[in-house]
Amino acid sequence: MKKTIKTGSFILCMALFSHIAISAEKVTCKEEVNNVNASLSQKGSPVINNVADFTATLQTLNATGRLPDKYITSIQAKHLGWSGAETETLWGLKLTNNKWIGGDSYQHKSLPANAKWYSADVDVNRGYRSNKRLIYTLSSQMRFYTPDNYQNFVEISPCQ
């Protein structure tokens, strides 16, 4: 019996060590967003302005498999009275005040076809949507950022 406990403890310790070693290899989401911004800046592409917010979104998505609570789908927003027009702010309505659009299904030929993809707004300004989006899947930590309304995609490395 003691041998089983020791072996079980050893296996548990090794599993924990392996998890810590794998986690240590991942960069923080803030470091990854800064890396993405440096690459975008060199190319003259629009960068992620609100690094702290985007970092928090990635961390929440990676940890829970859900977007932060501030996100609602475009269908939910329309049910609450938003027209969906580019010229209308989400924040002009009490029910959608401080909400961002996220969680809508998304498809694009350049993304791997073996996953279901979703989009989420990035850098919302006073409730107006920008051309920037986070593209993500729930089946892995594969994430992309598009600065220009889905014309170009930058892969975001897994982060914590």
Side-chain angles (χ1 to χ4, degrees):
M1 181 93 159
K2 285 185 179 181
K3 187 175 183 181
T4 305
I5 292 171
K6 286 182 182 178
T7 304
S9 296
F10 176 76
I11 292 170
L12 180 62
C13 287
M14 291 305 293
L16 184 59
F17 178 75
S18 296
H19 177 71
I20 291 169
I22 290 168
S23 294
E25 293 175 12
K26 284 187 185 177
V27 298
T28 67
C29 288
K30 184 176 182 180
E31 290 170 329
E32 180 58 16
V33 173
N34 286 333
N35 292 340
V36 167
N37 270 349
S39 176
L40 290 165
S41 183
Q42 287 177 346
K43 296 175 185 175
S45 294
V47 299
I48 300 160
N49 295 326
N50 193 335
V51 171
D53 182 79
F54 192 73
T55 297
T57 298
L58 287 173
Q59 290 170 327
T60 299
L61 186 59
N62 292 343
T64 67
R66 295 181 52 232
L67 290 169
D69 290 340
K70 71 178 178 183
Y71 284 96
I72 59 175
T73 66
S74 57
I75 291 171
Q76 290 169 319
K78 288 176 183 176
H79 282 269
L80 295 172
W82 181 59
S83 72
E86 288 183 26
T87 56
E88 183 183 7
T89 176
L90 274 163
W91 298 357
L93 302 168
K94 186 175 183 178
L95 296 173
T96 58
N97 192 35
N98 291 321
K99 297 292 185 183
W100 294 25
I101 299 296
D104 292 340
S105 292
Y106 179 73
Q107 292 180 351
H108 194 278
K109 62 184 176 195
S110 66
L111 296 174
N114 62 342
K116 183 168 180 168
W117 295 97
Y118 302 91
S119 69
D121 286 356
V122 176
D123 286 341
V124 170
N125 186 8
R126 296 184 333 240
Y128 292 99
R129 302 178 76 194
S130 71
N131 290 329
K132 302 173 184 179
R133 301 284 187 276
L134 168 65
I135 308 299
Y136 64 96
T137 182
L138 299 175
S139 60
S140 73
Q141 282 197 6
M142 189 174 272
R143 315 278 184 247
F144 294 92
Y145 167 72
T146 176
D148 50 14
N149 220 10
Y150 311 109
Q151 298 303 308
N152 296 288
F153 296 87
V154 177
E155 186 166 357
I156 300 168
S157 297
C159 60
Q160 54 187 4

